[in-house]
Amino acid sequence: MMAEDAMETACRSGARAAAQRTRILQAAQKCFVEHGFHAASMATIAQTAEMSPGLIYRYFRSKSEIILAIIERQLEIVRERIGSLHVANDLAAGIADSFHAPTDCHDDMIIAPLFLETSAEATRDPQVGAAVAAVDTAVRTEFTRVLMRAREEGGYGLPEELATKRALMLLCLFEGLKVREAREPHLDHGLLESALGDILGLLLAPQSAEPAG
Amino acid sequence: MMAEDAMETACRSGARAAAQRTRILQAAQKCFVEHGFHAASMATIAQTAEMSPGLIYRYFRSKSEIILAIIERQLEIVRERIGSLHVANDLAAGIADSFHAPTDCHDDMIIAPLFLETSAEATRDPQVGAAVAAVDTAVRTEFTRVLMRAREEGGYGLPEELATKRALMLLCLFEGLKVREAREPHLDHGLLESALGDILGLLLAPQSAEPAG
Amino acid sequence: MMAEDAMETACRSGARAAAQRTRILQAAQKCFVEHGFHAASMATIAQTAEMSPGLIYRYFRSKSEIILAIIERQLEIVRERIGSLHVANDLAAGIADSFHAPTDCHDDMIIAPLFLETSAEATRDPQVGAAVAAVDTAVRTEFTRVLMRAREEGGYGLPEELATKRALMLLCLFEGLKVREAREPHLDHGLLESALGDILGLLLAPQSAEPAG
Amino acid sequence: MMAEDAMETACRSGARAAAQRTRILQAAQKCFVEHGFHAASMATIAQTAEMSPGLIYRYFRSKSEIILAIIERQLEIVRERIGSLHVANDLAAGIADSFHAPTDCHDDMIIAPLFLETSAEATRDPQVGAAVAAVDTAVRTEFTRVLMRAREEGGYGLPEELATKRALMLLCLFEGLKVREAREPHLDHGLLESALGDILGLLLAPQSAEPAG
DNA sequence: AATGAATGAGCCTTCATTCAT
DNA sequence: TATGAATGAAGGCTCATTCAT
């Protein structure tokens, strides 16, 4: 009721504030991975972030805003990854490795449970649905572009129609891997890598004559 | 007063009891799809089932038992579907169609949001994790078997190692489709069908000489 | 709404009805002893009485009416026991024996937990309080009368004032034994009997010269 | 901001926390006396304590923990009282006075309804049963010791066997008084005091020759 | 007379959020 | 900025009671 700088309604700015927000988001992500969006309580998040529950509300308006931020960050990671299709040499190995990576609070990974809950939430929350659809469309578009690009330019030289189909299937495949990560975490690493090698070989092979579907 | 001594699944037996259980499960499934496992309240489920909250507990011991029952039913559907790979003629079309099917309480469909939440839950609840892993392993095994079976016997005549890899990728692909269903519900139906046709053609093609990965 | 014999508002009459009431009361008593007045549910009582919950309400208007009936029966037993002071020979042994009697549904025993819960309830429910106080006063009066009666008439020949005091103390003693029964159920039987013999000897001894209080 | 690192009894520490715990326990005791352990609701307790229901759970894990705390406190009072037999002068008056003391939330009194419900609960809850039995045994032991102690040392000079019996009977008598307090709250004070004087005179009298039982 | 399915109020408990300090 | 005590609205679940059969 005294010094009350009421002009800062939303979030804060400045280096300190950013650090706090990051701290909270990392804690929240850890809790969400461990318990899910709903089962993770603000108290637990606060404890994990080693701060008081009240303080969190200085940086986020609500729990749902934190969830949105986490989802947004996950989408951001996807956006950052767009284009990694270039490096076709060890693609299978890279993807397979990220499969068995530890679920730590790595800030640059698509965490399977978060991905799944986000995808489910997309069917309920229009805001999430729109954001997710936008990113996915962008990814498919970029995938398609890379598949169409000439081989000598680091692409795969597929004709547009085929590239569009293959891009979609690639996306499904990668997302399916996230599902697999959650449902069968002890999946054999060697099998996974060679299976990926096989299918990527098929999908990205230079086109001469298509097999009859 | 009708067939009295029927299968005693859980708490009560009898035709009436079975009908009530079904009614509850359908209502619960609807609520879970709309709000998620944890956000759906027993009160909402009761209202959807057009009964009082207390009555539900005559047929299910707890909310979590209902969740488990729903999950178990979804897994059951998967089990029932194992082997549909045989019918390779319109496989792509069939899968694509089920993609755009209405999300009604149809009792024989794998509902995308439920599938995703279940997969996420598998990460946390060991009971769910075990059930899910068991089913998935069975599916992969059956997929592999079909891929290995001779063409004249309705199979695809793949050698074992390749069949194992392709089965895994097929599973990922199908699961990825469920993700897509949630994230991009308005995906173009024709594209999806032809993309599926293309990739299934690649994966299930008769083997003469493999393309170099 | 059809044949509705509305003239039977309260309980039923007839041999069958009485038997049912008894059956219910015995079941209720057993449940109350095991779980307490509040923790025992009507469903449990019904199950114990091997009848449906609904049927109970044909014979008792409410659970609280059953509780009252049980309390009333316990008081009745007390009333019936009034006057047993006559038989002074084996009084100590008799009391001590009833201490270690099995807690079965014996219909003619003062059950310790019921006695205690009833006494507690007496401080809350005026109806119970009044009934209990009435019985206790009667008991004290009768005790006093016996203590005053001449020895040759089966009494103890105490003067009125002393008899009044001793009657009160005897009542406390007996009630204290009920408490002991609940709190120290494995109390040594021999000790109890001889302790009772000792104190009864003191209290009921022929009066020549009183000790100075 | 005051004495910060105090005794950490349960969940929280600090002067404020202790005060809150006390506040809750006093409110709970009042409610338990008025309604009984099970009939008193957390909402009522919270209202009595003039706080929100949720806050109680900051200081107690559950209702049952509160009940246990109340019971434990009552037992503690008994422990503190052990040994008051010394002061034989006005013993009868003192006991009689405490009989008619107001039932306020005095923190150092054995409240009759609580005592009775606790005793009944001892029959059902093993934890309560054990605690109660332990205290009672201690009390009897101490009573016996005092009765055996030489008169010149503030005791009553009874031989061991007799002391054991009389100690048991004294305990019953005192407990019976608690029953009486609940069942006949308007019992004549003068009568009670003189009756106690009489019986204590008998039980604690110097031993020369026992009367024949 | 008898059943047991059904109701709905109320109970214990949790938790997102606020606010005095 | 930071705390954590406090709130109060649900949430899951139980149970006395009713009623169609």
mmCIF file of all heavy atoms in Angstrom, chain A residues 64-99:
data_model
loop_
_atom_site.group_PDB
_atom_site.id
_atom_site.type_symbol
_atom_site.label_atom_id
_atom_site.label_comp_id
_atom_site.label_asym_id
_atom_site.label_seq_id
_atom_site.Cartn_x
_atom_site.Cartn_y
_atom_site.Cartn_z
ATOM 1 N N SER A 64 -0.838 -21.767 -15.649
ATOM 2 C CA SER A 64 -1.089 -22.079 -17.057
ATOM 3 C C SER A 64 -0.156 -21.263 -17.949
ATOM 4 O O SER A 64 0.218 -21.700 -19.034
ATOM 5 C CB SER A 64 -2.562 -21.844 -17.378
ATOM 6 O OG SER A 64 -2.715 -20.834 -18.311
ATOM 7 N N GLU A 65 0.218 -20.079 -17.491
ATOM 8 C CA GLU A 65 1.167 -19.292 -18.283
ATOM 9 C C GLU A 65 2.531 -19.977 -18.312
ATOM 10 O O GLU A 65 3.240 -19.934 -19.326
ATOM 11 C CB GLU A 65 1.294 -17.881 -17.689
ATOM 12 C CG GLU A 65 1.921 -16.891 -18.636
ATOM 13 C CD GLU A 65 1.966 -15.484 -18.044
ATOM 14 O OE1 GLU A 65 0.905 -14.826 -18.019
ATOM 15 O OE2 GLU A 65 3.043 -15.053 -17.598
ATOM 16 N N ILE A 66 2.869 -20.631 -17.223
ATOM 17 C CA ILE A 66 4.132 -21.377 -17.199
ATOM 18 C C ILE A 66 4.068 -22.545 -18.169
ATOM 19 O O ILE A 66 4.997 -22.797 -18.940
ATOM 20 C CB ILE A 66 4.427 -21.882 -15.774
ATOM 21 C CG1 ILE A 66 4.613 -20.694 -14.830
ATOM 22 C CG2 ILE A 66 5.656 -22.781 -15.757
ATOM 23 C CD1 ILE A 66 4.903 -21.096 -13.404
ATOM 24 N N ILE A 67 2.936 -23.232 -18.131
ATOM 25 C CA ILE A 67 2.771 -24.354 -19.059
ATOM 26 C C ILE A 67 2.924 -23.865 -20.493
ATOM 27 O O ILE A 67 3.656 -24.448 -21.291
ATOM 28 C CB ILE A 67 1.380 -25.008 -18.856
ATOM 29 C CG1 ILE A 67 1.307 -25.642 -17.459
ATOM 30 C CG2 ILE A 67 1.132 -26.061 -19.934
ATOM 31 C CD1 ILE A 67 -0.038 -26.275 -17.148
ATOM 32 N N LEU A 68 2.245 -22.775 -20.782
ATOM 33 C CA LEU A 68 2.358 -22.218 -22.131
ATOM 34 C C LEU A 68 3.802 -21.892 -22.474
ATOM 35 O O LEU A 68 4.276 -22.145 -23.589
ATOM 36 C CB LEU A 68 1.509 -20.955 -22.253
ATOM 37 C CG LEU A 68 0.082 -21.046 -22.812
ATOM 38 C CD1 LEU A 68 0.015 -22.085 -23.920
ATOM 39 C CD2 LEU A 68 -0.925 -21.361 -21.763
ATOM 40 N N ALA A 69 4.515 -21.326 -21.524
ATOM 41 C CA ALA A 69 5.905 -20.957 -21.779
ATOM 42 C C ALA A 69 6.751 -22.194 -22.069
ATOM 43 O O ALA A 69 7.610 -22.186 -22.956
ATOM 44 C CB ALA A 69 6.471 -20.198 -20.583
ATOM 45 N N ILE A 70 6.500 -23.254 -21.293
ATOM 46 C CA ILE A 70 7.241 -24.500 -21.516
ATOM 47 C C ILE A 70 6.922 -25.034 -22.906
ATOM 48 O O ILE A 70 7.821 -25.412 -23.671
ATOM 49 C CB ILE A 70 6.850 -25.556 -20.457
ATOM 50 C CG1 ILE A 70 7.224 -25.089 -19.051
ATOM 51 C CG2 ILE A 70 7.466 -26.905 -20.796
ATOM 52 C CD1 ILE A 70 8.645 -25.313 -18.691
ATOM 53 N N ILE A 71 5.651 -25.046 -23.235
ATOM 54 C CA ILE A 71 5.252 -25.526 -24.550
ATOM 55 C C ILE A 71 5.912 -24.669 -25.632
ATOM 56 O O ILE A 71 6.464 -25.184 -26.607
ATOM 57 C CB ILE A 71 3.708 -25.474 -24.686
ATOM 58 C CG1 ILE A 71 3.072 -26.546 -23.804
ATOM 59 C CG2 ILE A 71 3.288 -25.638 -26.143
ATOM 60 C CD1 ILE A 71 1.561 -26.559 -23.821
ATOM 61 N N GLU A 72 5.872 -23.376 -25.426
ATOM 62 C CA GLU A 72 6.452 -22.458 -26.404
ATOM 63 C C GLU A 72 7.947 -22.744 -26.591
ATOM 64 O O GLU A 72 8.464 -22.770 -27.706
ATOM 65 C CB GLU A 72 6.233 -21.014 -25.935
ATOM 66 C CG GLU A 72 6.509 -19.969 -26.988
ATOM 67 C CD GLU A 72 5.809 -20.301 -28.304
ATOM 68 O OE1 GLU A 72 4.570 -20.454 -28.321
ATOM 69 O OE2 GLU A 72 6.522 -20.414 -29.319
ATOM 70 N N ARG A 73 8.621 -23.005 -25.474
ATOM 71 C CA ARG A 73 10.050 -23.308 -25.554
ATOM 72 C C ARG A 73 10.287 -24.594 -26.341
ATOM 73 O O ARG A 73 11.201 -24.662 -27.164
ATOM 74 C CB ARG A 73 10.632 -23.426 -24.142
ATOM 75 C CG ARG A 73 12.084 -23.883 -24.085
ATOM 76 C CD ARG A 73 13.037 -22.827 -24.649
ATOM 77 N NE ARG A 73 14.373 -23.359 -24.888
ATOM 78 C CZ ARG A 73 15.057 -23.198 -26.008
ATOM 79 N NH1 ARG A 73 14.553 -22.490 -26.996
ATOM 80 N NH2 ARG A 73 16.260 -23.713 -26.129
ATOM 81 N N GLN A 74 9.446 -25.581 -26.108
ATOM 82 C CA GLN A 74 9.599 -26.836 -26.841
ATOM 83 C C GLN A 74 9.411 -26.594 -28.336
ATOM 84 O O GLN A 74 10.150 -27.132 -29.168
ATOM 85 C CB GLN A 74 8.571 -27.866 -26.345
ATOM 86 C CG GLN A 74 8.841 -28.399 -24.955
ATOM 87 C CD GLN A 74 9.959 -29.437 -24.919
ATOM 88 O OE1 GLN A 74 11.012 -29.194 -24.343
ATOM 89 N NE2 GLN A 74 9.763 -30.572 -25.568
ATOM 90 N N LEU A 75 8.429 -25.756 -28.653
ATOM 91 C CA LEU A 75 8.201 -25.447 -30.071
ATOM 92 C C LEU A 75 9.394 -24.684 -30.641
ATOM 93 O O LEU A 75 9.810 -24.906 -31.781
ATOM 94 C CB LEU A 75 6.915 -24.622 -30.218
ATOM 95 C CG LEU A 75 5.624 -25.364 -29.870
ATOM 96 C CD1 LEU A 75 4.426 -24.452 -30.035
ATOM 97 C CD2 LEU A 75 5.463 -26.597 -30.746
ATOM 98 N N GLU A 76 9.937 -23.836 -29.809
ATOM 99 C CA GLU A 76 11.109 -23.060 -30.216
ATOM 100 C C GLU A 76 12.261 -23.993 -30.590
ATOM 101 O O GLU A 76 12.941 -23.810 -31.604
ATOM 102 C CB GLU A 76 11.519 -22.135 -29.063
ATOM 103 C CG GLU A 76 12.654 -21.175 -29.386
ATOM 104 C CD GLU A 76 12.308 -20.292 -30.570
ATOM 105 O OE1 GLU A 76 11.108 -19.924 -30.708
ATOM 106 O OE2 GLU A 76 13.199 -20.002 -31.360
ATOM 107 N N ILE A 77 12.449 -25.002 -29.768
ATOM 108 C CA ILE A 77 13.513 -25.972 -30.046
ATOM 109 C C ILE A 77 13.282 -26.629 -31.396
ATOM 110 O O ILE A 77 14.207 -26.811 -32.183
ATOM 111 C CB ILE A 77 13.566 -27.035 -28.932
ATOM 112 C CG1 ILE A 77 13.979 -26.374 -27.611
ATOM 113 C CG2 ILE A 77 14.533 -28.152 -29.293
ATOM 114 C CD1 ILE A 77 13.923 -27.307 -26.419
ATOM 115 N N VAL A 78 12.036 -26.986 -31.646
ATOM 116 C CA VAL A 78 11.717 -27.576 -32.943
ATOM 117 C C VAL A 78 12.100 -26.619 -34.055
ATOM 118 O O VAL A 78 12.769 -26.995 -35.026
ATOM 119 C CB VAL A 78 10.215 -27.914 -33.034
ATOM 120 C CG1 VAL A 78 9.859 -28.350 -34.450
ATOM 121 C CG2 VAL A 78 9.875 -29.001 -32.039
ATOM 122 N N ARG A 79 11.687 -25.375 -33.893
ATOM 123 C CA ARG A 79 12.009 -24.379 -34.925
ATOM 124 C C ARG A 79 13.509 -24.295 -35.155
ATOM 125 O O ARG A 79 13.977 -24.230 -36.286
ATOM 126 C CB ARG A 79 11.473 -23.008 -34.487
ATOM 127 C CG ARG A 79 10.027 -22.768 -34.870
ATOM 128 C CD ARG A 79 9.629 -21.308 -34.619
ATOM 129 N NE ARG A 79 8.306 -21.249 -33.995
ATOM 130 C CZ ARG A 79 8.082 -21.024 -32.720
ATOM 131 N NH1 ARG A 79 9.100 -20.800 -31.896
ATOM 132 N NH2 ARG A 79 6.859 -20.999 -32.253
ATOM 133 N N GLU A 80 14.256 -24.323 -34.053
ATOM 134 C CA GLU A 80 15.718 -24.236 -34.174
ATOM 135 C C GLU A 80 16.278 -25.433 -34.940
ATOM 136 O O GLU A 80 17.283 -25.327 -35.633
ATOM 137 C CB GLU A 80 16.357 -24.171 -32.783
ATOM 138 C CG GLU A 80 16.123 -22.839 -32.067
ATOM 139 C CD GLU A 80 16.487 -22.924 -30.587
ATOM 140 O OE1 GLU A 80 16.986 -23.981 -30.172
ATOM 141 O OE2 GLU A 80 16.248 -21.946 -29.868
ATOM 142 N N ARG A 81 15.624 -26.575 -34.758
ATOM 143 C CA ARG A 81 16.133 -27.797 -35.370
ATOM 144 C C ARG A 81 15.812 -27.906 -36.866
ATOM 145 O O ARG A 81 16.375 -28.722 -37.576
ATOM 146 C CB ARG A 81 15.523 -29.013 -34.661
ATOM 147 C CG ARG A 81 16.051 -29.239 -33.269
ATOM 148 C CD ARG A 81 17.442 -29.876 -33.335
ATOM 149 N NE ARG A 81 18.023 -29.907 -32.010
ATOM 150 C CZ ARG A 81 17.733 -30.815 -31.094
ATOM 151 N NH1 ARG A 81 16.904 -31.788 -31.397
ATOM 152 N NH2 ARG A 81 18.283 -30.760 -29.899
ATOM 153 N N ILE A 82 14.852 -27.121 -37.275
ATOM 154 C CA ILE A 82 14.466 -27.192 -38.680
ATOM 155 C C ILE A 82 15.705 -27.008 -39.547
ATOM 156 O O ILE A 82 16.477 -26.092 -39.378
ATOM 157 C CB ILE A 82 13.438 -26.101 -39.029
ATOM 158 C CG1 ILE A 82 12.128 -26.359 -38.320
ATOM 159 C CG2 ILE A 82 13.220 -26.054 -40.529
ATOM 160 C CD1 ILE A 82 11.044 -25.350 -38.640
ATOM 161 N N GLY A 83 15.885 -27.885 -40.467
ATOM 162 C CA GLY A 83 17.003 -27.723 -41.368
ATOM 163 C C GLY A 83 18.126 -28.697 -41.083
ATOM 164 O O GLY A 83 19.084 -28.806 -41.827
ATOM 165 N N SER A 84 18.003 -29.423 -39.989
ATOM 166 C CA SER A 84 19.067 -30.369 -39.654
ATOM 167 C C SER A 84 19.049 -31.564 -40.609
ATOM 168 O O SER A 84 19.910 -32.425 -40.553
ATOM 169 C CB SER A 84 18.938 -30.837 -38.213
ATOM 170 O OG SER A 84 17.646 -31.339 -37.991
ATOM 171 N N LEU A 85 18.055 -31.592 -41.457
ATOM 172 C CA LEU A 85 18.002 -32.681 -42.427
ATOM 173 C C LEU A 85 19.200 -32.648 -43.388
ATOM 174 O O LEU A 85 19.559 -33.653 -43.976
ATOM 175 C CB LEU A 85 16.710 -32.593 -43.242
ATOM 176 C CG LEU A 85 15.531 -33.407 -42.741
ATOM 177 C CD1 LEU A 85 14.475 -33.504 -43.820
ATOM 178 C CD2 LEU A 85 15.979 -34.793 -42.333
ATOM 179 N N HIS A 86 19.819 -31.500 -43.537
ATOM 180 C CA HIS A 86 20.992 -31.343 -44.398
ATOM 181 C C HIS A 86 21.985 -32.469 -44.152
ATOM 182 O O HIS A 86 22.378 -33.201 -45.031
ATOM 183 C CB HIS A 86 21.725 -30.027 -44.102
ATOM 184 C CG HIS A 86 20.900 -28.829 -44.344
ATOM 185 N ND1 HIS A 86 21.322 -27.751 -45.087
ATOM 186 C CD2 HIS A 86 19.641 -28.518 -43.955
ATOM 187 C CE1 HIS A 86 20.380 -26.843 -45.135
ATOM 188 N NE2 HIS A 86 19.342 -27.286 -44.447
ATOM 189 N N VAL A 87 22.350 -32.548 -42.899
ATOM 190 C CA VAL A 87 23.447 -33.423 -42.518
ATOM 191 C C VAL A 87 23.007 -34.870 -42.580
ATOM 192 O O VAL A 87 22.728 -35.497 -41.562
ATOM 193 C CB VAL A 87 23.905 -33.103 -41.081
ATOM 194 C CG1 VAL A 87 25.373 -33.413 -40.939
ATOM 195 C CG2 VAL A 87 23.606 -31.658 -40.746
ATOM 196 N N ALA A 88 22.945 -35.403 -43.734
ATOM 197 C CA ALA A 88 22.362 -36.721 -43.892
ATOM 198 C C ALA A 88 23.302 -37.855 -43.505
ATOM 199 O O ALA A 88 22.864 -38.987 -43.333
ATOM 200 C CB ALA A 88 21.918 -36.922 -45.332
ATOM 201 N N ASN A 89 24.544 -37.549 -43.351
ATOM 202 C CA ASN A 89 25.512 -38.612 -43.084
ATOM 203 C C ASN A 89 25.160 -39.438 -41.853
ATOM 204 O O ASN A 89 24.934 -40.635 -41.917
ATOM 205 C CB ASN A 89 26.910 -38.018 -42.893
ATOM 206 C CG ASN A 89 27.337 -37.262 -44.147
ATOM 207 O OD1 ASN A 89 26.813 -37.537 -45.234
ATOM 208 N ND2 ASN A 89 28.253 -36.327 -43.999
ATOM 209 N N ASP A 90 25.148 -38.774 -40.729
ATOM 210 C CA ASP A 90 24.928 -39.505 -39.481
ATOM 211 C C ASP A 90 23.543 -39.218 -38.905
ATOM 212 O O ASP A 90 23.340 -39.263 -37.708
ATOM 213 C CB ASP A 90 26.005 -39.117 -38.459
ATOM 214 C CG ASP A 90 26.023 -37.610 -38.260
ATOM 215 O OD1 ASP A 90 25.314 -36.907 -39.015
ATOM 216 O OD2 ASP A 90 26.726 -37.149 -37.353
ATOM 217 N N LEU A 91 22.621 -38.916 -39.766
ATOM 218 C CA LEU A 91 21.295 -38.545 -39.283
ATOM 219 C C LEU A 91 20.686 -39.650 -38.404
ATOM 220 O O LEU A 91 20.223 -39.391 -37.289
ATOM 221 C CB LEU A 91 20.371 -38.279 -40.480
ATOM 222 C CG LEU A 91 19.013 -37.676 -40.151
ATOM 223 C CD1 LEU A 91 19.182 -36.426 -39.316
ATOM 224 C CD2 LEU A 91 18.242 -37.375 -41.425
ATOM 225 N N ALA A 92 20.724 -40.842 -38.917
ATOM 226 C CA ALA A 92 20.131 -41.947 -38.160
ATOM 227 C C ALA A 92 20.773 -42.069 -36.784
ATOM 228 O O ALA A 92 20.084 -42.194 -35.766
ATOM 229 C CB ALA A 92 20.293 -43.258 -38.932
ATOM 230 N N ALA A 93 22.098 -42.016 -36.756
ATOM 231 C CA ALA A 93 22.803 -42.143 -35.478
ATOM 232 C C ALA A 93 22.433 -41.013 -34.537
ATOM 233 O O ALA A 93 22.156 -41.222 -33.354
ATOM 234 C CB ALA A 93 24.306 -42.171 -35.708
ATOM 235 N N GLY A 94 22.387 -39.811 -35.074
ATOM 236 C CA GLY A 94 22.066 -38.656 -34.247
ATOM 237 C C GLY A 94 20.685 -38.777 -33.625
ATOM 238 O O GLY A 94 20.506 -38.599 -32.420
ATOM 239 N N ILE A 95 19.729 -39.118 -34.439
ATOM 240 C CA ILE A 95 18.371 -39.265 -33.928
ATOM 241 C C ILE A 95 18.316 -40.384 -32.886
ATOM 242 O O ILE A 95 17.745 -40.225 -31.803
ATOM 243 C CB ILE A 95 17.394 -39.579 -35.081
ATOM 244 C CG1 ILE A 95 17.348 -38.396 -36.046
ATOM 245 C CG2 ILE A 95 16.017 -39.895 -34.544
ATOM 246 C CD1 ILE A 95 16.563 -38.689 -37.306
ATOM 247 N N ALA A 96 18.933 -41.487 -33.211
ATOM 248 C CA ALA A 96 18.923 -42.610 -32.283
ATOM 249 C C ALA A 96 19.585 -42.232 -30.964
ATOM 250 O O ALA A 96 19.123 -42.621 -29.888
ATOM 251 C CB ALA A 96 19.631 -43.809 -32.904
ATOM 252 N N ASP A 97 20.658 -41.468 -31.038
ATOM 253 C CA ASP A 97 21.335 -41.073 -29.803
ATOM 254 C C ASP A 97 20.438 -40.205 -28.930
ATOM 255 O O ASP A 97 20.346 -40.401 -27.726
ATOM 256 C CB ASP A 97 22.626 -40.319 -30.132
ATOM 257 C CG ASP A 97 23.730 -41.280 -30.568
ATOM 258 O OD1 ASP A 97 23.520 -42.509 -30.406
ATOM 259 O OD2 ASP A 97 24.757 -40.817 -31.065
ATOM 260 N N SER A 98 19.803 -39.251 -29.589
ATOM 261 C CA SER A 98 18.954 -38.357 -28.797
ATOM 262 C C SER A 98 17.816 -39.147 -28.142
ATOM 263 O O SER A 98 17.241 -38.723 -27.151
ATOM 264 C CB SER A 98 18.396 -37.248 -29.682
ATOM 265 O OG SER A 98 17.228 -37.681 -30.340
ATOM 266 N N PHE A 99 17.523 -40.307 -28.697
ATOM 267 C CA PHE A 99 16.486 -41.159 -28.120
ATOM 268 C C PHE A 99 16.842 -41.580 -26.709
ATOM 269 O O PHE A 99 16.028 -41.516 -25.793
ATOM 270 C CB PHE A 99 16.301 -42.401 -29.006
ATOM 271 C CG PHE A 99 15.158 -43.284 -28.600
ATOM 272 C CD1 PHE A 99 13.952 -43.230 -29.278
ATOM 273 C CD2 PHE A 99 15.270 -44.165 -27.541
ATOM 274 C CE1 PHE A 99 12.885 -44.037 -28.911
ATOM 275 C CE2 PHE A 99 14.213 -44.981 -27.169
ATOM 276 C CZ PHE A 99 13.017 -44.912 -27.853
#
